[in-house]
């Protein structure tokens, strides 16, 4: 009789707490205590019920067109949420409310065009946010304000047209920002003021027609800066000065770039890799940072091989790197490689600066 009573009690408890006992149907669980719930391509159209102790939930390749407010409020223990390829169109205000332990959020490869300014409310621990390959037209002001610990923001391959002042308010610890392959025509002054500690900044493949000097002038420690495939014709004086002593990699290829102003590289003291391939450059400024360069890509430019480029040739002669670069002129040197041509034979070496005390 006692055994029967115990069996009935356990049965009632099991019926009352199915979430804590069973893995959601069409999903599989591992990690002990249902900590990892994998519902990859499971045919789901509603969010599954999961145990509160679940740490990782993988919902990739299911169908969730709208993420409504409080969609995840019962999932308080989640640290990692994967929702790639879920045909999400809209993320409402407060959609992720309650996920105060969430560190990783993957929303890549969806159809998101509508995102509420309060969509990320309460995500104070979120560190990695992936929203690439969507249809987002703008980053709403205040969207990132709750994300005090955001480190990586992946926003490439969307349809963002401009970056406004205040866009990144609150995300003061952001270090890696990817805005590649959007439709950005304007970066407003002050738009990056709150994220002055960016180390990686990629804004290649956009529609910027002038270098956004006012927007980037507050950046302090950018190491990897990529602006390729923007229709910018001139790189102005002091373009990289605010972060030049940290910048190690600079990509300015495929831009139809015509000119570097004479003081464009002022303050650039640690550059190791420079890509200026596929432009309309004929010269480089006297202060180009040859002394630190290890890798230079400069093919497909109409180089004018006069003594103005002699410093480039000297760098090639003293470097392990011998990049392709063909002279477009003067006429007798047309078609010759910069590294081989005799165009610089009679160019004078620059006089070495005398040190104090050298006078006799």
């Amino acid at each position: 009789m006692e055994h029967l009573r115990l069996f009935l009690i356990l049965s009632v408890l099991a019926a009352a707490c199915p979430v804590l006992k069973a893995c959601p149907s069409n999903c599989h669980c591992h990690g002990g205590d249902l900590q990892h719930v994998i519902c990859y391509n499971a045919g789901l159209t509603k969010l599954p019920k999961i145990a509160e102790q679940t740490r990782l939930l993988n919902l990739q390749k299911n169908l969730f067109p709208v993420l409504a407010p409080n969609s995840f409020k019962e999932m308080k223990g989640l640290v990692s949420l994967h929702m790639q390829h879920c045909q999400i169109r809209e993320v409402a205000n407060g959609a992720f409310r309650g996920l105060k332990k969430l560190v990783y959020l993957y929303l890549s490869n969806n159809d998101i065009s509508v995102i509420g300014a309060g969509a990320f409310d309460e995500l104070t621990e979120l560190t990695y946010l992936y929203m690439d390959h969507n249809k987002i037209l703008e980053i709403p002001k205040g969207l990132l304000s709750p994300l005090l610990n955001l480190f990586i923001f992946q926003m490439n391959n969307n349809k963002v047209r401009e970056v406004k002042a205040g866009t990144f308010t609150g995300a003061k610890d952001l270090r890696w920002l990817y805005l590649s392959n959007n439709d950005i025509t304007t970066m407003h002054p002050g738009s990056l003021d709150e994220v002055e500690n960016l180390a990686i900044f990629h804004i290649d493949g956009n529609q910027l027609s002038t270098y956004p000097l006012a927007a980037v002038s507050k950046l302090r420690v950018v190491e990897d800066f990529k602006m390729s495939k923007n229709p910018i014709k001139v790189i102005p004086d002091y373009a990289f000065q605010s972060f030049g002593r940290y910048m190690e990699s600079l990509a300015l290829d495929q831009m139809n770039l015509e000119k570097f102003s004479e003081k464009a590289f002022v303050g650039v003291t640690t550059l190791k890799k420079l890509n200026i391939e596929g432009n309309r450059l004929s010269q480089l400024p006297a202060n180009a940072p040859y002394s630190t360069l290890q890798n230079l890509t400069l093919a497909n430019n109409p180089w004018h091989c006069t003594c103005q480029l002699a410093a480039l040739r000297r760098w090639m002669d003293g470097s392990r790197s011998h990049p392709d670069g063909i002279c477009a002129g003067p006429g007798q040197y047309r078609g010759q490689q910069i590294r081989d041509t005799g165009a610089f034979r009679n160019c004078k070496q620059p006089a070495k600066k005398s040190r104090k005390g050298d006078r006799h």
Side-chain angles (χ1 to χ4, degrees):
M1 200 66 182
E2 282 298 318
H3 286 95
L4 180 59
R5 186 180 300 164
L6 182 59
F7 174 77
L8 289 171
I9 291 171
L10 289 173
S11 298
V12 169
L13 286 173
C17 310
V19 168
L20 301 180
K21 295 293 180 185
C23 193
S25 59
N26 298 332
C27 305
H28 66 272
C29 301
H30 57 86
D33 219 16
L34 303 181
Q35 285 197 29
H36 294 182
V37 177
I38 312 300
C39 302
Y40 182 90
N41 200 16
L44 301 179
T45 57
K46 292 182 179 179
L47 294 172
K49 287 184 164 32
I50 61 170
E52 194 171 311
Q53 64 266 31
T54 300
R55 297 292 175 261
L56 182 149
L57 176 59
N58 187 339
L59 296 172
Q60 290 186 66
K61 294 203 170 181
N62 289 285
L63 180 59
F64 307 113
V66 177
L67 298 183
N70 302 309
S71 288
F72 302 89
K73 64 179 181 180
E74 305 299 332
M75 306 183 188
K76 294 181 172 63
L78 277 187
V79 173
S80 186
L81 176 59
H82 301 248
M83 298 196 76
Q84 303 97 312
H85 300 281
C86 286
Q87 299 180 47
I88 302 166
R89 296 194 305 266
E90 179 180 346
V91 183
N93 285 328
F96 302 101
R97 197 175 288 131
L99 297 183
K100 295 181 180 179
K101 295 180 180 179
L102 197 68
V103 175
Y104 303 89
L105 178 57
Y106 299 88
L107 296 170
S108 310
N109 298 97
N110 282 292
D111 298 314
I112 299 169
S113 60
V114 178
I115 183 162
F120 299 139
D121 285 358
E122 298 190 5
L123 299 186
T124 52
E125 294 301 314
L126 194 70
T127 307
Y128 305 93
L129 176 57
Y130 297 87
M131 301 189 71
D132 51 289
H133 295 87
N134 278 287
K135 298 175 181 176
I136 297 166
L137 294 170
E138 67 171 338
I139 305 169
K141 194 171 182 179
L143 178 70
L144 305 180
S145 296
L147 310 184
L148 306 178
N149 286 292
L150 190 63
F151 186 90
I152 294 176
F153 185 32
Q154 190 103 19
M155 193 69 178
N156 51 288
N157 296 86
N158 276 281
K159 297 181 181 298
V160 177
R161 294 171 184 163
E162 60 182 329
V163 184
K164 300 175 183 176
T167 296
F168 298 102
T169 298
K172 61 182 179 54
D173 286 339
L174 190 65
R175 298 279 284 162
W176 296 4
L177 175 59
Y178 300 92
L179 294 173
S180 310
N181 301 316
N182 278 276
D183 298 320
I184 297 169
T185 58
T186 309
M187 294 193 67
H188 292 277
S191 57
L192 298 173
D193 284 8
E194 284 91 1
V195 288
E196 63 176 24
N197 293 318
L198 287 182
I200 296 177
F201 183 34
H202 289 187
I203 193 162
D204 51 303
N206 280 285
Q207 300 298 321
L208 294 168
S209 57
T210 55
Y211 182 82
L213 185 60
V216 304
S217 62
K218 291 289 179 70
L219 298 178
R220 293 285 172 259
V221 291
V222 177
E223 299 167 17
D224 179 358
F225 189 28
K226 192 170 185 179
M227 287 204 70
S228 318
K229 298 180 182 176
N230 280 282
I232 296 172
K233 291 186 176 180
V234 179
I235 301 297
D237 289 341
Y238 311 111
F240 318 108
Q241 187 176 32
S242 66
F243 51 87
R245 62 200 177 104
Y246 291 92
M247 186 170 61
E248 295 186 359
S249 178
L250 175 62
L252 300 169
D253 52 298
Q254 316 294 335
M255 297 171 65
N256 285 327
L257 187 62
E258 296 175 358
K259 181 185 176 186
F260 286 93
S261 293
E262 273 306 303
K263 296 179 181 177
F265 287 104
V266 167
V268 176
T269 57
T270 56
L271 192 65
K272 295 176 181 176
K273 183 178 181 181
L274 174 62
N275 188 347
I276 49 176
E277 182 176 7
N279 285 300
R280 296 181 182 177
L281 295 166
S282 60
Q283 302 289 347
L284 287 173
N287 71 340
Y290 297 114
S291 62
T292 58
L293 273 183
Q294 297 173 5
N295 189 301
L296 174 60
T297 310
L298 43 75
N300 300 315
N301 281 283
W303 297 111
H304 194 62
C305 293
T306 63
C307 290
Q308 208 273 351
L309 280 182
L312 171 60
R313 171 60 180 272
R314 283 193 296 274
W315 174 81
M316 287 185 177
D317 290 344
S319 170
R320 293 179 183 175
S321 178
H322 301 287
D324 285 345
I326 295 176
C327 303
Q332 67 268 40
Y333 304 115
R334 187 189 306 269
Q336 297 181 9
Q337 287 280 357
I338 295 173
R339 60 177 178 253
D340 300 325
T341 184
F344 310 109
R345 194 175 292 123
N346 297 319
C347 297
K348 292 179 180 178
Q349 289 269 11
K352 290 185 178 178
K353 293 178 182 177
S354 61
R355 293 174 305 197
K356 288 182 181 178
D358 280 358
R359 293 178 190 165
H360 299 288

PDB file of all heavy atoms in Angstrom, residues 211-232:
ATOM      1  N   TYR A 211      35.584  60.711 -46.352  1.00  0.00           N
ATOM      2  CA  TYR A 211      36.138  60.064 -45.165  1.00  0.00           C
ATOM      3  C   TYR A 211      35.491  60.671 -43.916  1.00  0.00           C
ATOM      4  O   TYR A 211      35.470  61.904 -43.741  1.00  0.00           O
ATOM      5  CB  TYR A 211      37.655  60.266 -45.134  1.00  0.00           C
ATOM      6  CG  TYR A 211      38.326  59.588 -43.967  1.00  0.00           C
ATOM      7  CD1 TYR A 211      38.626  58.230 -44.020  1.00  0.00           C
ATOM      8  CD2 TYR A 211      38.644  60.297 -42.821  1.00  0.00           C
ATOM      9  CE1 TYR A 211      39.235  57.595 -42.952  1.00  0.00           C
ATOM     10  CE2 TYR A 211      39.254  59.673 -41.739  1.00  0.00           C
ATOM     11  CZ  TYR A 211      39.547  58.319 -41.806  1.00  0.00           C
ATOM     12  OH  TYR A 211      40.143  57.697 -40.741  1.00  0.00           O
ATOM     13  N   PRO A 212      34.948  59.839 -42.998  1.00  0.00           N
ATOM     14  CA  PRO A 212      34.184  60.350 -41.843  1.00  0.00           C
ATOM     15  C   PRO A 212      35.077  60.815 -40.691  1.00  0.00           C
ATOM     16  O   PRO A 212      35.030  60.273 -39.586  1.00  0.00           O
ATOM     17  CB  PRO A 212      33.335  59.139 -41.441  1.00  0.00           C
ATOM     18  CG  PRO A 212      34.186  57.955 -41.806  1.00  0.00           C
ATOM     19  CD  PRO A 212      34.937  58.352 -43.048  1.00  0.00           C
ATOM     20  N   LEU A 213      35.889  61.819 -40.960  1.00  0.00           N
ATOM     21  CA  LEU A 213      36.896  62.271 -39.991  1.00  0.00           C
ATOM     22  C   LEU A 213      36.281  62.678 -38.657  1.00  0.00           C
ATOM     23  O   LEU A 213      36.777  62.299 -37.588  1.00  0.00           O
ATOM     24  CB  LEU A 213      37.705  63.442 -40.577  1.00  0.00           C
ATOM     25  CG  LEU A 213      38.872  63.944 -39.739  1.00  0.00           C
ATOM     26  CD1 LEU A 213      39.895  62.838 -39.501  1.00  0.00           C
ATOM     27  CD2 LEU A 213      39.537  65.138 -40.417  1.00  0.00           C
ATOM     28  N   ALA A 214      35.182  63.441 -38.707  1.00  0.00           N
ATOM     29  CA  ALA A 214      34.567  63.907 -37.449  1.00  0.00           C
ATOM     30  C   ALA A 214      34.033  62.739 -36.624  1.00  0.00           C
ATOM     31  O   ALA A 214      34.057  62.785 -35.394  1.00  0.00           O
ATOM     32  CB  ALA A 214      33.442  64.885 -37.754  1.00  0.00           C
ATOM     33  N   ALA A 215      33.561  61.695 -37.291  1.00  0.00           N
ATOM     34  CA  ALA A 215      33.002  60.547 -36.560  1.00  0.00           C
ATOM     35  C   ALA A 215      34.086  59.708 -35.906  1.00  0.00           C
ATOM     36  O   ALA A 215      33.909  59.215 -34.796  1.00  0.00           O
ATOM     37  CB  ALA A 215      32.168  59.679 -37.504  1.00  0.00           C
ATOM     38  N   VAL A 216      35.232  59.520 -36.577  1.00  0.00           N
ATOM     39  CA  VAL A 216      36.269  58.624 -36.043  1.00  0.00           C
ATOM     40  C   VAL A 216      37.290  59.337 -35.164  1.00  0.00           C
ATOM     41  O   VAL A 216      38.145  58.686 -34.557  1.00  0.00           O
ATOM     42  CB  VAL A 216      37.009  57.876 -37.180  1.00  0.00           C
ATOM     43  CG1 VAL A 216      36.027  57.104 -38.046  1.00  0.00           C
ATOM     44  CG2 VAL A 216      37.868  58.816 -38.020  1.00  0.00           C
ATOM     45  N   SER A 217      37.195  60.645 -35.052  1.00  0.00           N
ATOM     46  CA  SER A 217      38.252  61.401 -34.362  1.00  0.00           C
ATOM     47  C   SER A 217      38.298  61.167 -32.855  1.00  0.00           C
ATOM     48  O   SER A 217      39.276  61.534 -32.202  1.00  0.00           O
ATOM     49  CB  SER A 217      38.100  62.898 -34.639  1.00  0.00           C
ATOM     50  OG  SER A 217      36.859  63.361 -34.145  1.00  0.00           O
ATOM     51  N   LYS A 218      37.240  60.538 -32.292  1.00  0.00           N
ATOM     52  CA  LYS A 218      37.259  60.231 -30.857  1.00  0.00           C
ATOM     53  C   LYS A 218      37.765  58.809 -30.584  1.00  0.00           C
ATOM     54  O   LYS A 218      37.975  58.439 -29.432  1.00  0.00           O
ATOM     55  CB  LYS A 218      35.860  60.403 -30.267  1.00  0.00           C
ATOM     56  CG  LYS A 218      35.373  61.844 -30.201  1.00  0.00           C
ATOM     57  CD  LYS A 218      36.134  62.641 -29.137  1.00  0.00           C
ATOM     58  CE  LYS A 218      35.667  64.085 -29.085  1.00  0.00           C
ATOM     59  NZ  LYS A 218      34.308  64.240 -28.553  1.00  0.00           N
ATOM     60  N   LEU A 219      37.919  58.019 -31.630  1.00  0.00           N
ATOM     61  CA  LEU A 219      38.441  56.660 -31.439  1.00  0.00           C
ATOM     62  C   LEU A 219      39.899  56.747 -31.009  1.00  0.00           C
ATOM     63  O   LEU A 219      40.666  57.545 -31.539  1.00  0.00           O
ATOM     64  CB  LEU A 219      38.294  55.840 -32.726  1.00  0.00           C
ATOM     65  CG  LEU A 219      36.861  55.633 -33.222  1.00  0.00           C
ATOM     66  CD1 LEU A 219      36.860  54.847 -34.526  1.00  0.00           C
ATOM     67  CD2 LEU A 219      36.019  54.918 -32.172  1.00  0.00           C
ATOM     68  N   ARG A 220      40.294  55.877 -30.080  1.00  0.00           N
ATOM     69  CA  ARG A 220      41.623  56.018 -29.473  1.00  0.00           C
ATOM     70  C   ARG A 220      42.542  54.826 -29.721  1.00  0.00           C
ATOM     71  O   ARG A 220      43.761  54.994 -29.765  1.00  0.00           O
ATOM     72  CB  ARG A 220      41.468  56.203 -27.949  1.00  0.00           C
ATOM     73  CG  ARG A 220      40.796  57.506 -27.556  1.00  0.00           C
ATOM     74  CD  ARG A 220      41.747  58.675 -27.713  1.00  0.00           C
ATOM     75  NE  ARG A 220      41.071  59.956 -27.515  1.00  0.00           N
ATOM     76  CZ  ARG A 220      40.672  60.751 -28.498  1.00  0.00           C
ATOM     77  NH1 ARG A 220      40.853  60.393 -29.745  1.00  0.00           N
ATOM     78  NH2 ARG A 220      40.078  61.892 -28.250  1.00  0.00           N
ATOM     79  N   VAL A 221      41.991  53.618 -29.869  1.00  0.00           N
ATOM     80  CA  VAL A 221      42.857  52.432 -29.832  1.00  0.00           C
ATOM     81  C   VAL A 221      42.540  51.429 -30.943  1.00  0.00           C
ATOM     82  O   VAL A 221      42.720  50.228 -30.782  1.00  0.00           O
ATOM     83  CB  VAL A 221      42.772  51.736 -28.447  1.00  0.00           C
ATOM     84  CG1 VAL A 221      43.409  52.605 -27.370  1.00  0.00           C
ATOM     85  CG2 VAL A 221      41.322  51.410 -28.069  1.00  0.00           C
ATOM     86  N   VAL A 222      42.062  51.914 -32.089  1.00  0.00           N
ATOM     87  CA  VAL A 222      41.723  51.004 -33.191  1.00  0.00           C
ATOM     88  C   VAL A 222      42.996  50.337 -33.717  1.00  0.00           C
ATOM     89  O   VAL A 222      43.946  51.003 -34.119  1.00  0.00           O
ATOM     90  CB  VAL A 222      41.014  51.741 -34.339  1.00  0.00           C
ATOM     91  CG1 VAL A 222      40.745  50.777 -35.500  1.00  0.00           C
ATOM     92  CG2 VAL A 222      39.705  52.357 -33.856  1.00  0.00           C
ATOM     93  N   GLU A 223      42.991  49.000 -33.727  1.00  0.00           N
ATOM     94  CA  GLU A 223      44.126  48.225 -34.241  1.00  0.00           C
ATOM     95  C   GLU A 223      43.884  47.742 -35.664  1.00  0.00           C
ATOM     96  O   GLU A 223      44.813  47.595 -36.451  1.00  0.00           O
ATOM     97  CB  GLU A 223      44.382  47.016 -33.327  1.00  0.00           C
ATOM     98  CG  GLU A 223      44.734  47.398 -31.900  1.00  0.00           C
ATOM     99  CD  GLU A 223      44.677  46.198 -30.960  1.00  0.00           C
ATOM    100  OE1 GLU A 223      44.692  45.048 -31.446  1.00  0.00           O
ATOM    101  OE2 GLU A 223      44.611  46.414 -29.734  1.00  0.00           O
ATOM    102  N   ASP A 224      42.631  47.474 -35.988  1.00  0.00           N
ATOM    103  CA  ASP A 224      42.259  46.910 -37.286  1.00  0.00           C
ATOM    104  C   ASP A 224      41.134  47.765 -37.855  1.00  0.00           C
ATOM    105  O   ASP A 224      40.006  47.731 -37.368  1.00  0.00           O
ATOM    106  CB  ASP A 224      41.814  45.454 -37.090  1.00  0.00           C
ATOM    107  CG  ASP A 224      41.371  44.780 -38.384  1.00  0.00           C
ATOM    108  OD1 ASP A 224      41.368  45.433 -39.441  1.00  0.00           O
ATOM    109  OD2 ASP A 224      40.999  43.590 -38.323  1.00  0.00           O
ATOM    110  N   PHE A 225      41.456  48.536 -38.906  1.00  0.00           N
ATOM    111  CA  PHE A 225      40.505  49.483 -39.494  1.00  0.00           C
ATOM    112  C   PHE A 225      40.310  49.123 -40.960  1.00  0.00           C
ATOM    113  O   PHE A 225      41.274  49.090 -41.731  1.00  0.00           O
ATOM    114  CB  PHE A 225      41.041  50.908 -39.356  1.00  0.00           C
ATOM    115  CG  PHE A 225      40.081  51.995 -39.732  1.00  0.00           C
ATOM    116  CD1 PHE A 225      38.710  51.818 -39.624  1.00  0.00           C
ATOM    117  CD2 PHE A 225      40.556  53.221 -40.175  1.00  0.00           C
ATOM    118  CE1 PHE A 225      37.827  52.839 -39.961  1.00  0.00           C
ATOM    119  CE2 PHE A 225      39.686  54.247 -40.510  1.00  0.00           C
ATOM    120  CZ  PHE A 225      38.317  54.058 -40.406  1.00  0.00           C
ATOM    121  N   LYS A 226      39.057  48.834 -41.328  1.00  0.00           N
ATOM    122  CA  LYS A 226      38.776  48.394 -42.695  1.00  0.00           C
ATOM    123  C   LYS A 226      37.715  49.295 -43.313  1.00  0.00           C
ATOM    124  O   LYS A 226      36.583  49.342 -42.835  1.00  0.00           O
ATOM    125  CB  LYS A 226      38.310  46.934 -42.681  1.00  0.00           C
ATOM    126  CG  LYS A 226      38.258  46.284 -44.048  1.00  0.00           C
ATOM    127  CD  LYS A 226      38.017  44.785 -43.923  1.00  0.00           C
ATOM    128  CE  LYS A 226      38.091  44.104 -45.282  1.00  0.00           C
ATOM    129  NZ  LYS A 226      37.872  42.644 -45.171  1.00  0.00           N
ATOM    130  N   MET A 227      38.106  49.998 -44.397  1.00  0.00           N
ATOM    131  CA  MET A 227      37.187  50.901 -45.090  1.00  0.00           C
ATOM    132  C   MET A 227      37.061  50.572 -46.569  1.00  0.00           C
ATOM    133  O   MET A 227      36.542  51.366 -47.349  1.00  0.00           O
ATOM    134  CB  MET A 227      37.670  52.342 -44.943  1.00  0.00           C
ATOM    135  CG  MET A 227      37.474  52.922 -43.584  1.00  0.00           C
ATOM    136  SD  MET A 227      37.406  54.706 -43.617  1.00  0.00           S
ATOM    137  CE  MET A 227      35.848  54.974 -44.426  1.00  0.00           C
ATOM    138  N   SER A 228      37.520  49.416 -46.989  1.00  0.00           N
ATOM    139  CA  SER A 228      37.514  49.022 -48.395  1.00  0.00           C
ATOM    140  C   SER A 228      36.125  49.192 -49.024  1.00  0.00           C
ATOM    141  O   SER A 228      35.112  49.150 -48.345  1.00  0.00           O
ATOM    142  CB  SER A 228      37.914  47.550 -48.519  1.00  0.00           C
ATOM    143  OG  SER A 228      38.982  47.233 -47.667  1.00  0.00           O
ATOM    144  N   LYS A 229      36.117  49.378 -50.352  1.00  0.00           N
ATOM    145  CA  LYS A 229      34.869  49.381 -51.128  1.00  0.00           C
ATOM    146  C   LYS A 229      33.893  50.450 -50.651  1.00  0.00           C
ATOM    147  O   LYS A 229      32.683  50.209 -50.572  1.00  0.00           O
ATOM    148  CB  LYS A 229      34.215  47.994 -51.108  1.00  0.00           C
ATOM    149  CG  LYS A 229      35.091  46.928 -51.752  1.00  0.00           C
ATOM    150  CD  LYS A 229      34.435  45.565 -51.713  1.00  0.00           C
ATOM    151  CE  LYS A 229      35.359  44.513 -52.321  1.00  0.00           C
ATOM    152  NZ  LYS A 229      34.805  43.154 -52.227  1.00  0.00           N
ATOM    153  N   ASN A 230      34.393  51.628 -50.316  1.00  0.00           N
ATOM    154  CA  ASN A 230      33.595  52.830 -50.152  1.00  0.00           C
ATOM    155  C   ASN A 230      34.086  53.826 -51.204  1.00  0.00           C
ATOM    156  O   ASN A 230      35.296  53.943 -51.403  1.00  0.00           O
ATOM    157  CB  ASN A 230      33.768  53.438 -48.757  1.00  0.00           C
ATOM    158  CG  ASN A 230      32.938  52.747 -47.699  1.00  0.00           C
ATOM    159  OD1 ASN A 230      31.739  52.959 -47.584  1.00  0.00           O
ATOM    160  ND2 ASN A 230      33.584  51.887 -46.915  1.00  0.00           N
ATOM    161  N   PRO A 231      33.198  54.552 -51.881  1.00  0.00           N
ATOM    162  CA  PRO A 231      33.625  55.449 -52.962  1.00  0.00           C
ATOM    163  C   PRO A 231      34.223  56.766 -52.465  1.00  0.00           C
ATOM    164  O   PRO A 231      33.708  57.851 -52.744  1.00  0.00           O
ATOM    165  CB  PRO A 231      32.325  55.675 -53.746  1.00  0.00           C
ATOM    166  CG  PRO A 231      31.242  55.534 -52.724  1.00  0.00           C
ATOM    167  CD  PRO A 231      31.727  54.472 -51.767  1.00  0.00           C
ATOM    168  N   ILE A 232      35.317  56.645 -51.733  1.00  0.00           N
ATOM    169  CA  ILE A 232      35.999  57.820 -51.175  1.00  0.00           C
ATOM    170  C   ILE A 232      37.204  58.155 -52.055  1.00  0.00           C
ATOM    171  O   ILE A 232      38.031  57.283 -52.318  1.00  0.00           O
ATOM    172  CB  ILE A 232      36.448  57.547 -49.725  1.00  0.00           C
ATOM    173  CG1 ILE A 232      35.233  57.311 -48.828  1.00  0.00           C
ATOM    174  CG2 ILE A 232      37.296  58.694 -49.181  1.00  0.00           C
ATOM    175  CD1 ILE A 232      35.576  56.833 -47.422  1.00  0.00           C
TER     176      ILE A 232
END
